[in-house]
Amino acid sequence: MGFASGFRTSVFALAALAAATVTAYADSGSVRFNVVKAGWIIGGSGGSGTLTFHGRSYPLSIGGLSAGLVFGASQTWFSGTVSHIRRPGDIAGVYGAVGVGAALGRGARFITLTNEKGAVLELSGRQVGLMVNADLSGLVISIR
């Protein structure tokens, strides 16, 4: 009886370990998109881009709102990685950020964002335009 009980406990422990390993597995991909942002107190943004995941490309739509001190207009071209995703649809969702920045002419941007599914975007980009902001902003990414 002791051997059977120990064997069962070992099998359950191995099954739990295997399930945790499969559940914890997440992958990453690359993203490129551009965003046009404009505002006066309240701002809006929109754009498009591409997710590359496991050698396939998926078109993205980007939209968002900002509230706080927002003045001006700019366009930013972002590129970077998305991590902690299991499938392409995991990039879709709402990303929130508190931002402070200014751009006059050309500038650089670096940002890390997380959505409700745990996807993490690590982006860098170049910005063109006149923009001053100290705001709360939300960015919505969807797959077209």
Side-chain angles (χ1 to χ4, degrees), residues 1-138:
M1 182 101 152
F3 176 76
S5 177
F7 181 74
R8 250 184 295 153
T9 301
S10 297
V11 168
F12 283 124
L14 285 173
L17 180 62
T21 303
V22 169
T23 303
Y25 176 77
D27 212 341
S28 62
S30 63
V31 290
R32 297 179 75 77
F33 59 88
N34 69 55
V35 175
V36 175
K37 182 177 181 178
W40 176 260
I41 308 296
I42 296 176
S45 58
S48 62
T50 305
L51 162 69
T52 303
F53 185 69
H54 289 205
R56 295 189 59 199
S57 294
Y58 301 88
L60 302 175
S61 291
I62 289 70
L65 291 174
S66 302
L69 170 64
V70 181
F71 170 75
S74 68
Q75 182 169 11
T76 307
W77 291 267
F78 285 107
S79 63
T81 60
V82 58
S83 58
H84 304 290
I85 62 173
R86 291 175 182 77
R87 58 191 159 278
D90 288 346
I91 194 173
V94 177
Y95 296 82
V98 175
V100 176
L104 176 60
R106 295 183 182 269
R109 300 257 341 214
F110 302 95
I111 192 164
T112 300
L113 301 166
T114 304
N115 74 5
E116 70 278 3
K117 297 173 190 167
V120 177
L121 288 172
E122 294 180 350
L123 304 168
S124 63
R126 58 186 172 86
Q127 185 175 24
V128 176
L130 169 62
M131 176 64 70
V132 176
N133 68 298
D135 59 5
L136 293 171
S137 58

